[in-house]
Amino acid sequence: MESPFGQIALLSRYILFRTPELKEQVATKVDPNVFYASRLVLVATATGFAAGAFMQGQLRGLQFVAENMHRVPKTKGGWYFYQRAKNNAVVEAAGIGGVKMATKFSFITIGYCVLDNLIEMQLGDRWTNPSVAGFLIAGGFSLYSRLSFGASRRALLVGTLAGTCIGLMQEGYKMAYGVSIKVPTIMLPKETVQES
């Protein structure tokens, strides 16, 4: 097996180019847990960017209106430049907010995947592992963010419930298809893929 960074670089090349040679290399050289974690991090990054861009863009639009309430334009050309300035401010804030939130989401997801794999190495493959990892990540996030008691309780509840849902979905997939969702079809022998 290659180092995790080498595996991630190989996965990146496979995602971009999708050649049969790269597919063969991914099937033999990449750990299934790294493949699974890379998919989760990619989805978390995209979700974080969308959420951050939406929230910050909306907030900056309202802030722009509040800041410029005292000098509302009175002509058609004035309204054009007002809206243009507002849209530019919204797009800039959305981009910055999206990148910040995507970074937070991806680091939280990387921590979750690392904890999930560590727990799996210690306890074996159980459906409760993601629940424990979600609880620990939510606890770490609560401590890092210095959340109040009520907010920490909600964060722990959401983290545990999200982990439990992930664990149950993994277990359901394993029961339905006979193979873990962490193992992608390109890593399975051809006989197994044709049977399912």
Side-chain angles (χ1 to χ4, degrees):
M1 284 281 166
E2 289 188 26
S3 71
F5 295 113
Q7 293 177 26
I8 292 170
L10 182 62
L11 279 173
S12 302
R13 286 195 309 267
Y14 174 69
I15 289 169
L16 290 174
F17 302 114
R18 296 221 179 239
T19 63
E21 298 84 27
L22 286 173
K23 183 177 181 180
E24 179 79 24
Q25 288 179 357
V26 167
T28 56
K29 294 182 180 177
V30 176
D31 181 25
N33 288 328
V34 172
F35 196 89
Y36 177 71
S38 67
R39 289 187 290 177
L40 281 182
V41 170
L42 185 64
V43 169
T45 303
T47 304
F49 184 82
F54 178 76
M55 288 190 314
Q56 284 302 115
Q58 194 174 33
L59 182 68
R60 182 62 184 123
L62 294 172
Q63 184 181 4
F64 186 89
V65 170
E67 286 174 353
N68 294 294
M69 190 63 76
H70 66 283
R71 52 183 175 155
V72 178
K74 297 188 178 22
T75 64
K76 187 175 180 180
W79 277 109
Y80 170 78
F81 287 112
Y82 175 83
Q83 289 297 330
R84 188 169 129 186
K86 179 183 172 191
N87 289 341
N88 288 342
V90 166
V91 167
E92 180 184 356
I96 292 170
V99 169
K100 284 182 180 179
M101 190 70 77
T103 304
K104 288 178 187 176
F105 272 42
S106 53
F107 277 120
I108 288 171
T109 306
I110 288 169
Y112 167 80
C113 291
V114 167
L115 276 175
D116 187 26
N117 287 333
L118 288 174
I119 293 167
E120 187 176 317
M121 287 183 346
Q122 293 297 319
L123 302 177
D125 191 16
R126 298 182 183 170
W127 71 270
T128 55
N129 294 349
S131 303
V132 175
F135 178 81
L136 291 174
I137 283 295
F141 177 78
S142 298
L143 289 174
Y144 177 76
S145 300
R146 297 182 182 152
L147 297 179
S148 66
F149 178 73
S152 295
R153 239 178 54 201
R154 282 191 299 276
L156 290 171
L157 181 65
V158 168
T160 306
L161 287 176
T164 302
C165 289
I166 290 172
L168 290 174
M169 285 190 287
Q170 287 175 356
E171 204 59 32
Y173 187 90
K174 192 186 300 181
M175 288 173 59
Y177 296 105
V179 65
S180 174
I181 196 169
K182 291 184 177 182
V183 181
T185 55
I186 65 169
M187 293 184 176
L188 295 174
K190 290 188 182 349
E191 306 84 41
T192 311
V193 174
Q194 290 172 352
E195 289 172 8
S196 57

